[in-house]
Amino acid sequence: MSDIESQIAESFERVYPTPDVVADWHDVLRRSALPVRSGERHGWQVLPRHWGSRRRLLLASSALAVAAAVALTLASPWRGGPTILDRAAAAIAAPGTDQILYASVRIRTSLPCVSAPPGWKKNGWSDLSKLKHLRRCPDNSRAAVWLDSAPPHRFRAVFVDGDGRLESGGTVGGPNGLSYQPGGVLDPVGYAYPITLSDLDPVGFIRAALASGRARVDGTATIRGRNVVRIRVTAHRYGRDVTDALYFVDAATDRPVRIVFPAATRDVRGLPMINLPFLADGTTSWGGNLSPIVIDFAQYLYLAPTTANRKLANIRAQHPHAKIL
Amino acid sequence: MRLAGVTVDELESLYRADLPRFVRAAAAIVGDEGAAKDAVQDAFAEAVRSRAQFRGDAPLEAWVWRIVINRALALRRRDSRVPEPNGWSPVADAMSGLSEPDSTVRAWVAALPERQRLVVFFRYFADFDYRSIAAALDVEVGTVSATLVAAHAALRRQFLEEVAP
């Protein structure tokens, strides 16, 4: 980033601080002229009961926001020694912290790949029956993942690139998942190995890596004008330690900012987010990347454990009328 | 069954996840946080109404950002009582050096043509890549690139003229 770009980015952060606003989705629906009667189903939207008690809802939302902030703070393993790690683990495991992780990322790489012709899309969705045997092109793509931290740990991932949109989901530890296909079909897919929490949750991953000694704080850097802490994740291979990933977190908030997987990364099992482009067709192994892969986080949030948010991590709930093959 | 479009759940998720960023961006355009919140609420209501029109060929985020920005710009143009947006108007503050560049950068950005301002805005407010900016502004990626290059050149000129010894 050039001097002027850095200045603009830093200046914008200071000049326009993030406002403290309260979400009011009820008001959005009212303005959209959708009926908002209690408990009524609107397409894919189920509104909460007792909506009239707005004051209580605001208080509950505030409490959840505070709880999420506390959980985020506690789940910052690079801040200290084992005590902090223990607290982080306890915070995640404790009842009431069953939020839904939501992360959206941008993926960049110059990895050579096969791109599907435009005709292989149906209404913006990729036709998996034709794409199944092709390696997706993750260059300049976007992906989002929802992970329910409450058992059975359902997850759903959406991947969008120039070839269309893929959506898949399942449960952590399960050997199979479901992929959505155009035409209202959920197609079972078998994963090359069971998906773990580490595959989907970067904070969980880095916490475990730090605890095991596989990761260490490696210095600081600046990304898009933000001061970040660099954490190096290594593995012992070929008789020496090799870098599997560089993990960057915001120095002020500890939130994930970027993960860089060097070209030498071979075994991607358990490395976070890297398999999102391939979940839909069950190909959960890169077999070694030929060029660095950069994953930038646009969002990393813990959503409140509401019914509506929980459904975001459930692919069957997202497509209640889809036929399962 | 859904072949195209976006669900209300997905919009709600984006709304809940990103509301402060949307309001922050809208406030920079309309100059008032209350009006900005209003614009964002209206924009999401519009997104809910027209969710079937989302084609999925661009990120959902970009599609919604476009609606929010258009709503904020429309509000600014329609309501003459809305003051000049905070940060876009030239400021008289004398630059005191790189340690306090905020007002200076604001003034430089304010002096840019609107399209350049918007592109800079998306780049640094929303942290969008070129493709997303193109989708949000409904222009070609090449146009985004050229516009950003022009904006950077203008800002760099200002930087060199006013800051460099």
Side-chain angles (χ1 to χ4, degrees):
Chain A
M1 184 177 281
S2 68
D3 291 344
I4 195 68
E5 284 181 275
S6 298
Q7 278 202 52
I8 294 169
E10 289 172 12
S11 181
F12 272 34
E13 280 299 323
R14 284 196 298 269
V15 174
Y16 305 104
T18 304
D20 185 18
V21 289
V22 176
D24 189 351
W25 185 247
H26 174 77
D27 178 56
V28 170
L29 293 179
R30 185 180 56 75
R31 293 179 191 221
S32 74
L34 273 188
V36 289
R37 287 195 299 277
S38 175
E40 190 175 353
R41 186 176 174 83
H42 306 285
W44 306 278
Q45 173 73 27
V46 178
L47 293 167
R49 295 175 187 274
H50 312 303
W51 194 271
S53 180
R54 200 167 157 189
R55 184 184 173 85
R56 270 187 297 163
L57 184 70
L58 288 176
L59 285 172
S61 301
S62 303
L64 285 169
V66 170
V70 169
L72 277 172
T73 304
L74 292 177
S76 304
W78 42 91
R79 273 285 168 87
T83 305
I84 297 295
L85 287 175
D86 292 344
R87 285 169 55 197
I92 293 297
T97 57
D98 55 346
Q99 292 99 344
I100 291 85
L101 165 65
Y102 165 65
S104 65
V105 297
R106 185 177 67 200
I107 305 170
R108 289 177 290 140
T109 182
S110 56
L111 184 73
C113 56
V114 178
S115 209
W120 288 19
K121 279 197 299 186
K122 285 183 184 175
N123 298 317
W125 290 78
S126 301
D127 186 344
L128 272 184
S129 63
K130 295 176 180 171
L131 283 176
K132 224 164 205 171
H133 305 293
L134 286 181
R135 181 174 226 182
R136 296 304 300 268
C137 178
D139 184 33
N140 290 321
S141 55
R142 282 184 174 267
V145 63
W146 293 263
L147 170 63
D148 193 336
S149 57
H153 302 300
R154 289 194 175 89
F155 69 88
R156 184 170 69 92
V158 172
F159 175 79
V160 180
D161 68 1
D163 292 333
R165 173 186 170 112
L166 292 170
E167 180 178 355
S168 65
T171 56
V172 168
N176 302 303
L178 292 171
S179 291
Y180 183 75
Q181 290 195 29
V185 170
L186 287 169
D187 185 15
V189 291
Y191 296 130
Y193 63 89
I195 303 301
T196 65
L197 286 173
S198 286
D199 286 303
L200 304 167
D201 177 5
V203 167
F205 162 77
I206 202 67
R207 186 174 63 246
L210 284 165
S212 69
R214 188 184 174 195
R216 67 175 192 279
V217 174
D218 191 45
T220 58
T222 303
I223 295 177
R224 298 191 301 273
R226 298 161 72 177
N227 294 324
V228 296
V229 175
R230 183 175 59 239
I231 299 171
R232 187 178 296 274
V233 181
T234 59
H236 193 76
R237 283 197 294 271
Y238 321 120
R240 59 190 171 89
D241 284 337
V242 296
T243 298
D244 267 351
L246 291 171
Y247 186 99
F248 299 88
V249 298
D250 188 291
T253 67
D254 295 333
R255 297 199 180 203
V257 173
R258 173 178 290 175
I259 306 176
V260 177
F261 298 99
T265 304
R266 291 295 173 206
D267 186 359
V268 300
R269 292 184 186 205
L271 291 179
M273 317 305 277
I274 194 170
N275 268 316
L276 290 183
F278 309 107
L279 281 178
D281 58 12
T283 309
T284 53
S285 176
W286 291 66
N289 49 310
L290 302 174
S291 72
I293 297 160
V294 179
I295 296 181
D296 282 316
F297 287 81
Q299 294 289 325
Y300 184 86
L301 298 166
Y302 290 121
L303 305 178
T306 63
T307 302
N309 285 340
R310 188 139 279 142
K311 283 167 61 181
L312 295 172
N314 186 341
I315 191 168
R316 292 185 67 170
Q318 289 296 310
H319 306 285
H321 305 298
K323 178 183 173 186
I324 299 178
L325 289 179
Chain B
M1 183 173 71
R2 176 166 63 96
L3 297 181
V6 55
T7 67
V8 175
D9 274 351
E10 284 171 319
L11 287 170
E12 182 182 0
S13 176
L14 180 62
Y15 171 86
R16 293 193 183 283
D18 263 357
L19 178 65
R21 276 208 311 161
F22 284 117
V23 173
R24 175 178 174 237
I29 294 176
V30 301
D32 172 78
E33 196 173 302
K37 175 80 184 293
D38 204 42
V40 171
Q41 294 292 102
D42 275 345
F44 268 89
E46 184 182 332
V48 168
R49 281 195 301 272
S50 54
R51 62 189 184 277
Q53 294 168 22
F54 175 65
R55 298 189 303 271
D57 53 0
L60 170 63
E61 218 180 338
W63 183 70
V64 175
W65 268 102
R66 185 175 163 192
I67 297 173
V68 169
I69 296 301
N70 283 340
R71 179 66 66 162
L73 288 171
L75 179 65
R76 191 182 79 183
R77 289 175 188 132
R78 188 173 59 232
D79 192 349
S80 59
R81 290 170 302 172
V82 174
E84 191 64 18
N86 177 24
W88 296 135
S89 57
V91 290
D93 313 17
M95 183 186 58
S96 59
L98 282 176
S99 59
E100 292 183 0
D102 299 350
S103 59
T104 308
V105 173
R106 272 191 303 180
W108 296 346
V109 175
L112 295 173
E114 179 161 288
R115 174 173 279 188
Q116 290 184 20
R117 278 209 310 265
L118 281 174
V119 171
V120 167
F121 184 83
F122 272 114
R123 181 75 186 90
Y124 297 103
F125 257 118
D127 196 25
F128 274 14
D129 59 18
Y130 287 13
R131 188 175 149 206
S132 298
I133 297 172
L137 295 178
D138 198 20
V139 296
E140 296 297 321
V141 172
T143 305
V144 171
S145 176
T147 306
L148 203 51
V149 166
H152 281 159
L155 293 171
R156 179 172 291 281
R157 255 194 322 274
Q158 294 276 10
F159 178 80
L160 292 174
E161 285 173 10
E162 299 187 34
V163 178

